[in-house]
Amino acid sequence: QLQLQESGPGLVKPSETLSLTCSVSGGSISSSSYYWGWVRQPPGKGLEWIGSIFYSGRTYYNPSLKSRVTLSVDTSKNLFSLKLSSVTAADTAVFYCARFSAVPNYWGQGTLVTVSS
Amino acid sequence: QSALTQPASVSGSPGQSITISCTGTSSDVGGYNYVSWYQQYPGKAPKLMIYEVSSRPSGVSNRFSGSKSGNTASLTISGLQAEDEADYYCTSYTTSSTVVFGGGTKLTVL
């Protein structure tokens, strides 16, 4: 059974870089059938796609976040990562990692990241 | 990219049917059959209910169905049950190789 698990700091200071990792088990991140990516959800608000990455390293980003987002993949460890720079309070959200077949079809449980000094 | 348009809320009585719409453009909903629907309970991760417009993952009740006409996709829930009360989100792949979500619809079972 596929499992995705987000990990990373739950608290990040304004202007710093948010870093999260998604560990994949029960399936290979090197599958040519899927992309891997991130979706966030601010408290009480809707879902927002952040970006997706293929195992080869090819990336696709939300245009509104592109200047601050970097996705990477480590096939040897079967995980992928998110970096979001210059964060503000508006970046406070639950961050979900997900497997994508064009759009998300399998989700991690999510992790809350709060931006505060 | 603009979010897909969903009604903020819908409601129905147990046993009734409801439909949630998801309106986009020819660059997303109308351009691809990569439209999915998710159910989300408070504090929980979204759950895939419909993929590729009208396909149901294994384990999802056949009371849930999806369709599309032009730039608008729809999720229909028949035989409403109390457990269906949740938030529902649509999403679509786009011609820019990006992903866009709807704003979400809160379903209330009266």
Side-chain angles (χ1 to χ4, degrees), chain A residues 21-42:
Chain A
T21 294
C22 182
S23 298
V24 180
S25 59
S28 174
I29 201 168
S30 298
S31 168
S32 61
S33 299
Y34 302 110
Y35 283 75
W36 308 88
W38 297 88
V39 175
R40 70 177 181 177
Q41 184 172 36

Side-chain angles (χ1 to χ4, degrees), chain B residues 10 12-13 15-20 37-39 49-50 61-66 74-81 83-88 105 107 109:
Chain B
V10 298
S13 300
Q16 288 185 332
S17 294
I18 64 94
T19 297
I20 300 172
W37 290 90
Y38 309 93
Q39 177 190 64
M49 305 302 284
I50 296 288
S61 171
N62 59 10
R63 297 186 298 106
F64 291 82
S65 62
S74 299
L75 172 71
T76 297
I77 309 174
S78 59
L80 264 183
Q81 299 179 0
E83 68 199 50
D84 299 331
E85 186 163 294
D87 293 328
Y88 292 85
T105 299
L107 169 62
V109 180

Side-chain angles (χ1 to χ4, degrees), chain B residues 69-104:
Chain B
S69 177
N71 297 335
T72 298
S74 299
L75 172 71
T76 297
I77 309 174
S78 59
L80 264 183
Q81 299 179 0
E83 68 199 50
D84 299 331
E85 186 163 294
D87 293 328
Y88 292 85
Y89 293 90
C90 62
T91 190
S92 176
Y93 190 68
T94 82
T95 53
S96 302
S97 300
T98 61
V99 174
V100 63
F101 283 94

Side-chain angles (χ1 to χ4, degrees), chain A:
Chain A
Q1 171 125 0
L2 184 70
Q3 289 190 329
L4 289 78
Q5 180 66 57
E6 305 89 350
S7 60
L11 181 64
V12 180
K13 290 182 168 55
S15 81
E16 296 190 344
T17 295
L18 178 161
S19 296
L20 294 175
T21 294
C22 182
S23 298
V24 180
S25 59
S28 174
I29 201 168
S30 298
S31 168
S32 61
S33 299
Y34 302 110
Y35 283 75
W36 308 88
W38 297 88
V39 175
R40 70 177 181 177
Q41 184 172 36
K45 296 187 177 181
L47 301 168
E48 180 181 35
W49 172 70
I50 297 171
S52 306
I53 187 166
F54 199 49
Y55 75 94
S56 62
R58 182 168 187 176
T59 54
Y60 301 88
Y61 296 132
N62 186 323
S64 68
L65 298 170
K66 186 174 183 177
S67 64
R68 298 195 292 130
V69 173
T70 302
L71 300 190
S72 60
V73 62
D74 187 333
T75 55
S76 67
K77 295 181 179 178
N78 220 38
L79 59 80
F80 59 102
S81 301
L82 163 71
K83 291 187 184 300
L84 180 65
S85 64
S86 305
V87 297
T88 69
D91 294 308
T92 293
V94 174
F95 287 76
Y96 296 98
C97 63
R99 187 183 73 178
F100 285 64
S101 179
V103 295
N105 64 9
Y106 209 92
W107 300 69
Q109 65 184 22
T111 186
L112 174 63
V113 179
T114 301
V115 179
S116 175
S117 55

